[in-house]
Amino acid sequence: MNTNIKYIFSAAAFMLSVGLTSCTGDLDVNPIDPNLKTKVNTKAESALNKCYATIAMAGNGGANGDSDVDGIDGGTSGYIRQLFNTQELTTDEAICAWGGDEGILNFNFNTYDASHPMLKGFYNRLYVGITYCNQYLKDYGDYNEKMSAEARFLRALNYYYLLDEFGNVPFTTAISSSNPARIERADLYKWLVDELKTNVEPKLAEPQPKTSATAGYGSVDKAAAWMLLARLYLNAEVYTGTADWANAKLYAKKVIDSPYKLYTTKKGQWSAYQQLFMGDNGENGASVEAIFPILQDGKTTTSYGTTLYLMAGSNDNSEHIKDATTKGNNTTAGWGGNRMRPDLVQKFFPNNDAPNIGAYAMPAAADDDRALFDGDGRNVDNGNNETDVKVFTNGFAVCKFTNFKTDGSAGHDSNFPDTDFFLMRAAEAYLIYAEADARMNGGTTTTDGTQYINALRSRAHATTHTAYSLRQICDEWSREFYFEGLRRTTLVRFGYFGGDVNYNWSWKGGVKSGRNFDAHLNLFPIPSSDLTANKKLVQNQGYN
């Protein structure tokens, strides 16, 4: 695309408000109107923008409009919100106080089943995204090779999350009134690898970091395809039973060697790491790391389920972030729900000596710039019973995502942030390479793998080491990416999630000290509503 999609999401959505319809008739006619080609171009760009927009917004009208997904509150159905819930609340990183929200405690305590409303909402949103991409390819597949590759990438991304979280799922690449057939997890993995290598990566634009002022900011290029392939290969053993660490290293190295780099520039009081999650992260230079930013703007691209959720859901506007007198996340929103499990705090304070200080002072106490959390007036522990878990001050508060800006300017809106969510950033490739390197070398990194973890730790001003074990790498994934939607996948890959494993965390399985739960919970269930509607499907083992 030749435009900045951050500012045309809303316009594109309104153009599509009556649904995605075929415009092939326009393309079959010899144009008399000299503006017809421009009209077709606008329709194609609008249709592609909708494929992107379903990740960033609930529906056509932004935060307060109709949702693309029926049967669940629009904000609750948000892509990033439910990615967070499924990947973070089920693990050693996050726990939520909202016991009155149906499904939250099930995430907290790993007791979800096929009737879980939020799992159904995320599952349906992923398929809505696939449908938009299929419709785009049906109507405009021959219009522009790069744009079609972007639509194929977005479809592959949605299928990746279905592969990872739900396993054996309905599969279709066409628009049809017939129920799609079920695809086995290993077969979906194979399709994704083939699709990305054959139809996506070769036809995407060359890798090029952008800022919000650059045309095409928010659209994907080859580096996104490499990153998704690296993720797939890193988890190949989980998905297929056969590991492929060599290809995980290969595609991670492609990202590392691309123009995308770790952002390392401190600005004023803001560390380089902080700037990745601030209101001007599309402008302050941090986007050199942003392989796939999900765009937000307080006026034009708003959502209750993207970075506002990560701020307000983890904050009650009493946390000290900037200094001793400035509080909150620089929005008026503070919902007081998600906070840290003590196990995440221990990743930064292994001697259980985390101080009760504000987030502005915590990085220095932890000797790690990534320790962006608040303990002032809070308990490290989440409590002794379910009632305690519902108290927001039981647990340190994460202050990682904010709407502050490095130049001190105000946000575009007092409530909705301008902070983009970096769904893929270059740092992930560094850890993929290091982990694959360790797995190929007896469980410890070689010099190559070590240098990439040390690059992350050096950026955070944390102590570096001469080598890293797999357990240390698992902890490093948490320190670098906590609350970014990667943790459940990481724990499953390390064998630390479901099954008879020697890895517990506070309130795992609904028990304060943690307990093992059955391995079938490594996959989420296919929603019962879809099983009823589509007799071609089979429930994942353990949920019948």
Side-chain angles (χ1 to χ4, degrees), residues 153 156 329 389 396 454 457:
F153 172 85
N329 50 41
V389 168
F396 279 18
N454 282 343
R457 294 184 62 82

Side-chain angles (χ1 to χ4, degrees), residues 132-142 148-149 151-152 155:
Y132 289 141
C133 295
N134 284 342
Q135 185 73 56
Y136 175 86
L137 292 167
K138 176 179 180 290
D139 292 344
Y140 304 107
D142 296 328
S148 292
R152 285 178 177 272
R155 182 175 64 183

Side-chain angles (χ1 to χ4, degrees), residues 130-418:
I130 288 166
T131 300
Y132 289 141
C133 295
N134 284 342
Q135 185 73 56
Y136 175 86
L137 292 167
K138 176 179 180 290
D139 292 344
Y140 304 107
D142 296 328
Y143 171 71
N144 179 286
E145 184 176 76
K146 182 177 76 70
M147 290 169 64
S148 292
E150 290 180 43
R152 285 178 177 272
F153 172 85
L154 295 169
R155 182 175 64 183
L157 180 71
N158 290 322
Y159 270 127
Y160 161 76
Y161 284 121
L162 287 162
L163 166 82
D164 181 72
E165 299 206 352
F166 296 95
N168 311 292
V169 296
F171 177 78
T172 182
T173 58
I175 297 295
S176 172
S177 59
S178 300
N179 284 330
R182 175 179 183 260
I183 189 170
E184 295 283 346
R185 199 180 200 189
D187 292 330
L188 180 53
Y189 169 89
K190 182 179 184 300
W191 178 86
L192 280 166
V193 169
D194 290 344
E195 173 77 353
L196 289 165
K197 293 173 75 170
T198 302
N199 296 319
V200 177
E201 186 271 344
K203 300 170 185 177
L204 288 175
E206 292 300 316
Q208 183 58 55
K210 306 173 184 67
T211 70
S212 62
T214 308
Y217 176 64
S219 58
V220 295
D221 58 30
K222 289 182 187 294
W226 297 336
M227 183 69 85
L228 188 50
L229 281 163
R231 283 186 182 183
L232 284 161
Y233 286 126
L234 185 68
N235 293 285
E237 189 170 25
V238 174
Y239 302 151
T240 71
T242 302
D244 197 343
W245 312 120
N247 270 317
K249 284 182 69 172
L250 173 67
Y251 280 91
K253 192 66 162 62
K254 285 177 178 285
V255 175
I256 293 168
D257 291 342
S258 79
Y260 291 96
K261 302 296 178 186
L262 295 185
Y263 179 64
T264 59
T265 303
K266 186 177 186 293
K267 287 191 175 180
Q269 64 191 4
W270 305 107
S271 70
Y273 189 77
Q274 280 180 300
Q275 291 173 60
L276 294 166
F277 314 102
M278 292 177 63
D280 61 348
N281 58 353
E283 298 84 54
N284 61 22
S287 60
V288 71
E289 190 166 328
I291 291 170
F292 187 18
I294 307 303
L295 309 184
Q296 296 287 277
D297 180 273
K299 290 297 185 185
T300 62
T301 311
T302 60
S303 171
Y304 291 111
T306 311
T307 47
L308 177 63
Y309 175 70
L310 297 172
M311 295 175 201
S314 304
N315 195 291
D316 63 359
N317 273 332
S318 67
E319 279 70 52
H320 300 197
I321 296 177
K322 191 175 181 182
D323 55 38
T325 58
T326 302
K327 300 178 180 180
N329 50 41
N330 206 30
T331 80
T332 55
W335 306 340
N338 300 316
R339 67 270 194 223
M340 304 170 79
R341 299 199 194 220
D343 313 83
L344 176 54
V345 179
Q346 289 166 6
K347 298 292 191 296
F348 293 91
F349 293 95
N351 297 320
N352 295 318
D353 57 352
N356 294 102
I357 57 177
Y360 67 93
M362 196 68 75
D367 292 322
D368 195 318
D369 289 350
R370 300 169 296 187
L372 299 174
F373 46 87
D374 177 79
D376 189 11
R378 309 183 67 86
N379 301 312
V380 172
D381 194 75
N382 302 135
N384 296 314
N385 52 55
E386 187 176 309
T387 300
D388 291 344
V389 168
K390 297 175 185 178
V391 177
F392 182 58
T393 52
N394 286 332
F396 279 18
V398 168
C399 303
K400 185 172 181 174
F401 296 88
T402 79
N403 200 35
F404 290 112
K405 301 192 176 186
T406 53
D407 63 3
S409 62
H412 297 162
D413 183 81
S414 62
N415 184 58
F416 293 104
D418 303 321

